[in-house]
Every structure is written in C-alpha cells, then in structure tokens.
Amino acid sequence: MKRTKICLFIICITLFGCESIEQRITNARIRDNLKTQKYNFEEYCVATNLFDVFPRNLSSKQYAYFSSPPSVTEDCKRHKQWGIVTLKSLEKIDKEQNYNSDHILYEADYYSAKNCIIYLGNSAQLIDTVKRYNVFEKGLLPIPCFEMNYIFADSLSNRMEVNVDDDQYVVDTYYVPSDLQVHVVDARAGNFWKNDCNEYRPESLKEWKHGYSKGFATSEKENIIVYWTMIW
C-alpha cells in the first residue's frame, strides 16, 4: 500500500509537476471568486456582461487576483457604490489573442499626461497624485487607478497613515510598470445602480460621475496582462 502511494505521487509529479498542481488549485479558487463577484455585481447593478472581459478558461499560468465589490443596503446606511475586479496574468503578451483591435475603443499609455483615472477611495484627496484622478476630458475613456490597486502588492511604493473624518487609514501605493498600456474594450457613462444612494462624485468627472469600464492593460517589460472591470 505504501509503495502504491509512492508510485502515484511520482506519476503525479511526472504528469503535472508540483508547481503546476499548486497553480491549478489557485486558479480554481480564482475561478470561484470570479463567479462569486459576478453574482455580487449583478445583485447591485443593472449593467450586464461586466465579466466577459476575463479569460473563460484560466491556463496553468500564474495569476494574481483582487476585488473590491460594491456593497449597498436598501436604506443606504452602509454602502459603497463602486466596485472593481482585477486579474493579473503572468504570461507571454499577445494583445491579438485577447481582443481584435477593432473591438478596442481606447488605448493609451497609463502614464500619459491625460487620462481619466477613476479612484473613489477615502484617501483620494490626500495622496500626491490626486491631480491625475477623476478628471474627464473629451476623447478619453475611464481606466482604473493601478497605483492604489492591490494587484501590484508585490511592488510597494509608499505607505502612509491619513485621517479622513476622524477615521485613520493606512494608504499603500504601488509601483506600476513604466510601459503599462491600457486598452478599453467597453465603457458607458450613466447610473447603473439598482438603488442609487446619491454618493458624492467629483464635478471634474462631468458626464462620467457614474459609469462602468472594462478592458486590459499590458506591460512587455514585466510580461503581464491585467484584466479589469469596474463600476462606480
């Protein structure tokens, strides 16, 4: 019996490899999390197909996952009317495998002087790069704030404590690849919440005070793809 177990273990390693087995388990959890967040978003939002930007079948590649789902009560006493899900894939970059260029609405360098970067966290008004956030100009489409996204938690840039309305927060910012390119495949302005709690939105967002955006970002330097969907 003991010899049989050893043989099975050797066969398992030969076919899949220990690392591959671990990745399969991790990817299975990520698939479950994506299904859960899809349900959460659909519970609070009327927008559909927000999650079709993500790969249908996760390969054996390594992935990192982050989500901050919306949470709204009927009386709006405890609510957060914005949500984001990001999935980072460490694999060879091939944009054409993700979306045909005809389906990409907007492309830009993430560090471009002009970008409509959405960030609605409590500490937004206190961080150095706030001038880059929540400003809409004609010809732009909204993209996520990657400096404040835990998807890049392996590259901590700065940590500070801030006070907002007598509450103290720890704010982390992360290094984002210098060559990061964003590709928006769908975005619409409008209020897509089933129950509108009239949360504050900066006037600088203009018609994009509410809306959704989904797409992917690529870095050839780091050899990664980051998929996103967000609603606010």
Side-chain angles (χ1 to χ4, degrees):
M1 184 69 179
K2 184 175 182 181
R3 180 177 297 176
T4 302
K5 288 183 178 179
I6 293 174
C7 290
L8 288 174
F9 181 67
I10 293 174
I11 292 172
C12 186
I13 293 177
T14 303
L15 293 176
F16 303 107
C18 290
E19 184 177 4
S20 178
I21 293 174
E22 183 178 351
Q23 288 175 6
R24 287 169 184 264
I25 294 173
T26 299
N27 292 350
R29 290 174 180 170
I30 291 176
R31 282 194 295 270
D32 289 341
N33 285 334
L34 285 171
K35 290 179 181 178
T36 298
Q37 294 311 327
K38 183 176 184 292
Y39 173 82
N40 288 338
F41 276 63
E42 290 176 348
E43 181 179 3
Y44 299 118
C45 313
V46 297
T48 59
N49 300 323
L50 290 178
F51 280 72
D52 61 4
V53 69
F54 298 106
R56 291 186 178 182
N57 298 310
L58 300 186
S59 66
S60 60
K61 301 293 183 180
Q62 293 181 338
Y63 292 88
Y65 171 84
F66 170 77
S67 67
S68 180
S71 55
V72 187
T73 57
E74 290 186 1
D75 57 7
C76 290
K77 288 184 178 179
R78 181 174 55 83
H79 58 283
K80 182 180 67 174
Q81 288 200 297
W82 65 278
I84 184 169
V85 175
T86 49
L87 177 70
K88 182 170 70 172
S89 171
L90 305 178
E91 60 183 13
K92 185 178 180 180
I93 297 300
D94 188 348
K95 185 177 65 176
E96 298 303 324
Q97 288 183 358
N98 293 274
Y99 282 90
N100 185 287
S101 58
D102 293 338
H103 296 151
I104 296 175
L105 303 180
Y106 175 79
E107 293 182 291
D109 178 353
Y110 182 73
Y111 284 104
S112 172
K114 291 184 178 180
N115 265 325
C116 182
I117 298 177
I118 302 294
Y119 179 64
L120 300 172
N122 290 325
S123 56
Q125 69 274 30
L126 298 176
I127 55 182
D128 293 338
T129 52
V130 67
K131 291 182 180 179
R132 299 186 64 223
Y133 299 160
N134 304 324
V135 177
F136 172 72
E137 294 185 19
K138 187 176 180 180
L140 304 180
L141 285 179
I143 59 177
C145 173
F146 286 118
E147 292 105 320
M148 307 293 288
N149 195 300
Y150 196 70
I151 201 74
F152 289 106
D154 56 345
S155 57
L156 183 65
S157 170
N158 185 40
R159 170 168 289 177
M160 60 183 173
E161 294 183 354
V162 296
N163 294 301
V164 180
D165 297 330
D166 297 325
D167 292 323
Q168 191 172 62
Y169 298 88
V170 175
V171 180
D172 290 336
T173 54
Y174 307 105
Y175 286 110
V176 175
S178 58
D179 67 333
L180 194 71
Q181 298 287 313
V182 290
H183 316 274
V184 179
V185 298
D186 191 17
R188 286 183 61 189
N191 195 325
F192 296 97
W193 300 102
K194 292 181 179 179
N195 180 32
D196 184 12
C197 290
N198 296 311
E199 285 193 348
Y200 168 76
R201 295 290 187 266
E203 292 296 326
S204 54
L205 280 173
K206 301 177 183 178
E207 62 262 40
W208 286 96
K209 288 182 180 178
H210 293 285
Y212 70 77
S213 170
K214 58 184 179 180
F216 62 98
T218 58
S219 167
E220 294 186 2
K221 179 181 178 181
E222 299 294 333
N223 200 33
I224 60 171
I225 301 176
V226 180
Y227 305 91
W228 86 77
T229 188
M230 64 176 179
I231 189 167
W232 63 96

